[in-house]
Amino acid sequence: MIKINTTTNVSADIYVGEAENQKNVAYANASVSKNGDVSINKSIQDGEAFKANKESVLKDFTEFETYVYSLVDTAK
């Protein structure tokens, strides 16, 4: 017997700075299954840049999570 599951995968790179000074500080990825199960993973890639831009990075994480949870309704 086979049971095939379909998921939607989402990823984001989080940057701080402008133009040539732009730096990748963190990333996030998530999967949303058809039944509404959600898995979100976040990683800080540059601790010093994160500390200096913590408020901005956390805001971006929140925006990412809001987007992912909006997919739960469309995944069904």
Side-chain angles (χ1 to χ4, degrees), residues 4-54:
I4 298 174
N5 300 309
T6 302
T7 60
T8 300
N9 295 307
V10 183
S11 64
D13 292 311
I14 298 172
Y15 295 90
V16 296
E18 299 295 324
E20 65 274 348
N21 295 325
Q22 198 172 53
K23 181 179 264 193
N24 187 312
V25 175
Y27 73 89
N29 60 43
S31 63
V32 179
S33 69
K34 276 201 165 200
N35 68 359
D37 292 344
V38 176
S39 173
I40 298 175
N41 298 297
K42 298 176 274 189
S43 177
I44 306 298
Q45 296 173 288
D46 185 326
E48 290 298 316
F50 171 74
K51 288 177 188 175
N53 299 278
K54 184 176 180 178

